[in-house]
Amino acid sequence: MGSAADVRVICRRSDIPPKKRRATQEALRLLYYQNVKKREGDKKRTRSTCLAEFAQSLKESLDSSFGFHWHVIVGNQVGFACKKRDKTMGMWNVEDSLTVVVWQSPGIEVLESPHSSEATADPSTPDADSGSVRESDGEGNKATVQGPCADANKEQSKSSSTKFRILQPSTIEDGSTVDQTIAVLKEELLKSPLEDDVQILAQTLRTALTAKMGPIWHVIVGEDFVVEAASNRRSFVLVAMGKMRVVCFQHEQKTGGSTVDWDRVFRSLPYLALALFCAAYMALQYLCGDSTPPTGAWLAW
């Protein structure tokens, strides 16, 4: 079974500062070993369950170490189109086949023009959102490409197997933001060929959501992945079409996500109260001393 040091982890892309990146990579390595590698022989836990626990534990580690509201993707052959805050994005390959992506949201997304969200899905076209966390190189983000079916029976089988399904949320209010989000996803998925690169599909969906509902959207597409998004996300939706699953949500972060150690604050309250009492006592002594008239002042008056 080995140890955490035996887990192969390669950083594919990151703008996280070196010191923080090394700490993140070591946490990733250790948590993968504890939640996945170490439990490979455990028949009571499926690999999907282990990966979900790994993603959750990694997000909790990032939140506690570097501030709240991190997002984590763990999966195979996953495409994603997400807006990221500078110096918070990292992508790693674990044990060759598994992709792990972490990032924080920015505070705003500036659209260059009213039509800047209507970007083509052609990968050769520059993306109007240059800060998006996107990867199209390497097989890790590629879906299997299949040619068009000429056979009518295959077409009928395909249409029956690509039924649009809503997996989350379980209840939807008519006319709500979630309802509108699902309508946009359904429209785009029904007209987009599912055999295309999952990365192109993710970008296409994000472009449509941004154009019709405004920023900031994060979209993940694939057949086998786990997403741990920030707890204060909005409009979270999980849909499926055939084997393809799509997760999207809105999230922006006005600050860097710094945390407050309330335990330390409460422990320091007695010392703070003592300091305030001493300051008040000294001020009172100073004021009372100034108001005392000198000896013989009344007689001279």
Side-chain angles (χ1 to χ4, degrees), residues 16-66:
I16 300 174
K19 185 176 180 180
K20 186 184 292 186
R21 182 169 66 245
R22 287 193 295 270
T24 302
Q25 181 163 315
E26 288 310 308
L28 186 157
R29 188 194 309 274
L30 177 61
L31 293 172
Y32 177 84
Y33 174 76
Q34 291 178 342
N35 291 276
V36 183
K37 192 76 173 178
K38 197 174 181 179
R39 297 177 176 177
E40 286 181 346
D42 190 350
K43 297 181 179 180
K44 296 181 180 180
R45 292 180 179 272
T46 64
R47 180 172 173 81
S48 297
T49 300
C50 292
L51 290 178
E53 293 175 350
F54 165 55
Q56 182 180 4
S57 60
L58 179 58
K59 173 178 165 45
E60 290 174 351
S61 177
L62 291 168
D63 284 346
S64 62
S65 299
F66 305 130

Side-chain angles (χ1 to χ4, degrees), residues 173-301:
E173 183 179 349
D174 290 340
S176 64
T177 303
V178 170
D179 189 32
Q180 297 173 40
T181 300
I182 292 172
V184 173
L185 293 177
K186 185 175 183 178
E187 178 184 358
E188 293 298 323
L189 287 172
L190 288 175
K191 69 182 183 183
S192 299
L194 294 184
E195 296 87 357
D196 276 354
D197 188 329
V198 288
Q199 182 58 46
I200 296 177
L201 181 57
Q203 183 61 35
T204 300
L205 294 175
R206 186 181 187 278
T207 298
L209 288 166
T210 303
K212 296 178 181 180
M213 304 186 65
I216 296 175
W217 285 95
H218 308 267
V219 180
I220 304 95
V221 178
E223 296 184 7
D224 182 19
F225 66 89
V226 178
V227 178
E228 279 290 330
S231 59
N232 60 343
R233 65 187 181 250
R234 297 177 290 111
S235 310
F236 184 90
V237 170
L238 168 59
V239 299
M241 199 160 185
K243 294 182 179 180
M244 189 70 66
R245 293 192 303 151
V246 177
V247 168
C248 68
F249 58 91
Q250 284 181 298
H251 186 261
E252 56 278 319
Q253 189 167 329
K254 301 300 182 183
T255 64
S258 59
T259 59
V260 177
D261 190 342
W262 291 108
D263 289 338
R264 181 176 296 178
V265 171
F266 291 138
R267 287 197 300 268
S268 64
L269 284 179
Y271 304 100
L272 178 61
L274 179 60
L276 291 175
F277 175 78
C278 292
Y281 178 78
M282 293 173 65
L284 183 62
Q285 289 292 344
Y286 177 78
L287 293 175
C288 291
D290 285 351
S291 61
T292 304
T295 305
W298 294 109
L299 296 176
W301 178 259

Side-chain angles (χ1 to χ4, degrees), residues 123-175:
S124 63
T125 302
D127 183 13
D129 178 16
S130 60
S132 292
V133 182
R134 303 198 299 123
E135 276 290 324
S136 57
D137 59 325
E139 296 182 356
N141 282 343
K142 298 288 184 181
T144 302
V145 180
Q146 300 175 351
C149 266
D151 188 83
N153 292 330
K154 290 183 179 180
E155 287 292 340
Q156 184 177 2
S157 175
K158 174 187 172 183
S159 62
S160 63
S161 64
T162 55
K163 181 179 179 181
F164 183 85
R165 293 172 292 141
I166 304 169
L167 304 181
Q168 288 185 30
S170 56
T171 58
I172 304 167
E173 183 179 349
D174 290 340

